[in-house]
C-alpha cells in the first residue's frame, strides 16, 4: 500500500508535482525544491519502494513498484508534472508513457535511461552494465564503495562518514534491484507515447555516462531540451540542492508558460 511521510508533501491548489528520487536516496532530497516553490505547488515526494520509510519493500518487482506508484498517482487527481533524478528519472519516463494524457511536463536531472534495442550496444550502456556486474561479484561494502566512487569520483567512499557508509550498505539490495529492473527489460521506454515537454538538466562535471544518457534521451524525444549546469556532478541534487532546486523551478515555470501559451 502506498505510504509516505507528511514531510514529503507541500500543499496548494495548483497542478501537483510527483518527484522521484534516485537509487540509494529518499524523497527527502526534494525538500529544497518544495521550499523553493514556497507553497505554490503540491509536491508529492515519496520514498520509492526499498528506500527510506519504504525500505521493507525492497523485493517488489517492476510491475509491483509501478502498481504502488499508480496508487500514489491516484492521490494526485488529474494532470500532474513529473520530476526525477537518476534512476528516478528512468521511472519518470516510464510513467510519462504510461500516463501520457495526465503528465503535463517532465523535468529530469541526469536520468538513467533503460536501454532499448537501439541503445543496448551504446558505450554508456555497456559501462553501466560493467558497473552492475562488477558490483555483483564484490562484498556488499566493496560494491557500494565502487558505486559511490563511480558516480562521485574516486575517493568518495573514503571521504564520507561511517553513518553515510552504513546507510549506503543498507541500500545495497534495493540498488541492485534498480539495476536489474533497468537492464532486464522491466522498464522499457522504447514506446514513445508521451509527447509533452521534457526538460533535461545535467552537471557539466558529471560522469560522462550521465551526460551521454541525457543527450541520447534528448535525441530520442525530439521535444526535449538539454541544459548543462556549471560545476555540478551526478549527485548535484544532493551536493548542491538549492542550486538544482532553482533550475528545476525555472524549468517547471517555463513549461507551464509554454503550456498556457499553447492552450490560448
Amino acid at each position: 500500500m502506498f505510504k509516505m511521510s507528511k514531510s514529503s508533501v507541500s500543499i496548494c491548489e495548483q497542478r501537483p508535482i510527483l518527484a522521484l528520487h534516485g537509487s540509494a536516496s529518499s524523497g527527502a532530497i526534494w525538500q529544497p525544491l518544495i521550499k523553493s516553490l514556497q507553497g505554490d505547488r503540491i509536491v508529492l515526494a515519496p520514498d520509492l519502494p526499498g528506500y527510506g520509510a519504504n525500505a521493507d519493500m525492497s523485493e517488489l518487482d517492476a510491475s509491483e513498484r509501478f502498481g504502488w506508484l499508480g496508487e500514489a498517482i491516484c492521490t494526485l487527481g488529474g494532470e500532474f508534472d513529473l520530476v526525477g533524478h537518476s534512476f528516478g528519472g528512468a521511472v519518470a519516463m516510464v510513467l510519462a508513457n504510461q500516463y501520457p494524457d495526465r503528465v503535463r511536463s517532465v523535468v529530469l536531472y541526469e536520468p538513467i535511461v533503460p536501454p532499448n534495442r537501439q541503445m543496448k550496444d551504446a558505450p554508456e550502456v555497456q559501462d553501466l552494465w560493467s558497473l552492475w556486474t562488477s558490483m555483483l561479484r564484490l562484498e556488499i561494502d566493496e560494491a557500494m564503495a565502487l558505486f559511490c566512487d563511480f558516480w562521485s569520483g574516486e575517493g568518495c567512499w573514503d571521504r564520507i562518514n561511517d553513518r553515510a557508509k552504513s546507510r549506503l550498505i543498507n541500500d545495497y539490495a534495493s540498488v541492485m534491484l534498480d539495476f536489474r529492473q533497468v537492464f532486464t527489460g522491466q522498464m522499457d521506454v522504447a514506446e514513445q507515447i508521451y509527447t509533452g515537454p521534457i526538460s533535461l538538466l545535467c552537471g557539466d562535471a558529471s560522469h560522462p555516462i550521465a551526460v551521454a544518457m541525457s543527450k541520447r534521451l534528448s535525441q530520442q524525444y525530439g521535444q526535449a531540451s538539454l541544459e548543462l549546469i556549471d560545476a555540478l556532478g551526478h549527485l548535484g541534487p544532493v551536493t548542491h540542492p538549492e542550486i538544482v532546486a532553482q533550475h528545476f523551478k525555472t524549468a517547471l515555470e517555463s513549461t507551464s508558460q509554454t503550456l498556457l501559451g499553447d492552450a490560448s
Side-chain angles (χ1 to χ4, degrees):
M1 178 179 292
F2 171 72
K3 63 180 180 178
M4 65 176 183
S5 63
K6 292 181 179 178
S7 64
S8 296
V9 185
S10 173
I11 302 298
C12 81
E13 296 182 356
Q14 294 191 37
R15 187 174 67 242
I17 298 167
L18 177 60
L20 304 172
H21 65 82
S23 298
S25 187
S26 74
I29 71 162
W30 301 113
Q31 288 302 311
L33 175 61
I34 293 172
K35 183 178 179 180
S36 75
L37 292 169
Q38 298 179 329
D40 291 338
R41 304 285 297 273
I42 294 172
V43 180
L44 183 61
D47 296 335
L48 292 177
Y51 298 106
N54 297 310
D56 59 342
M57 302 169 68
S58 62
E59 295 303 318
L60 296 188
D61 62 25
S63 64
E64 291 169 326
R65 274 182 161 186
F66 284 103
W68 181 90
L69 281 165
E71 293 181 30
I73 288 170
C74 284
T75 70
L76 297 175
E79 296 177 342
F80 61 97
D81 296 310
L82 273 169
V83 164
H85 170 228
S86 194
F87 174 75
V91 175
M93 287 311 303
V94 173
L95 292 175
N97 285 295
Q98 287 182 342
Y99 300 91
D101 297 328
R102 292 185 59 189
V103 174
R104 296 298 285 156
S105 71
V106 179
V107 184
L108 308 176
Y109 188 93
E110 298 191 0
I112 299 305
V113 185
N116 56 32
R117 290 175 184 173
Q118 290 73 37
M119 287 177 59
K120 64 183 179 65
D121 295 324
E124 63 269 25
V125 172
Q126 291 302 309
D127 285 348
L128 268 186
W129 175 272
S130 295
L131 171 63
W132 178 41
T133 54
S134 294
M135 289 175 69
L136 285 170
R137 294 191 293 267
L138 296 172
E139 297 295 327
I140 291 177
D141 58 339
E142 295 174 331
M144 293 312 292
L146 179 63
F147 179 82
C148 183
D149 287 359
F150 182 89
W151 289 117
S152 297
E154 188 174 352
C156 172
W157 183 258
D158 293 334
R159 291 192 297 271
I160 63 176
N161 60 39
D162 289 343
R163 182 178 180 182
K165 288 178 180 176
S166 178
R167 183 183 62 78
L168 286 168
I169 288 170
N170 287 338
D171 284 341
Y172 169 81
S174 296
V175 169
M176 300 310 284
L177 179 63
D178 294 346
F179 270 112
R180 186 162 72 247
Q181 291 182 354
V182 165
F183 281 113
T184 58
Q186 297 181 53
M187 294 179 58
D188 188 8
V189 294
E191 201 171 5
Q192 299 174 35
I193 301 172
Y194 176 72
T195 58
I198 302 174
S199 300
L200 302 173
L201 306 174
C202 287
D204 72 354
S206 284
H207 194 294
I209 284 178
V211 178
M213 285 202 158
S214 292
K215 288 181 177 179
R216 191 172 292 275
L217 190 63
S218 71
Q219 295 166 357
Q220 188 176 349
Y221 288 82
Q223 75 272 31
S225 64
L226 178 62
E227 177 188 1
L228 287 176
I229 305 175
D230 290 343
L232 295 192
H234 184 64
L235 296 183
V238 178
T239 60
H240 297 78
E242 288 78 17
I243 293 174
V244 175
Q246 189 57 49
H247 281 271
F248 269 111
K249 180 182 178 183
T250 299
L252 287 163
E253 290 173 345
S254 176
T255 54
S256 291
Q257 290 300 318
T258 299
L259 290 168
L260 284 172
D262 291 344
S264 62

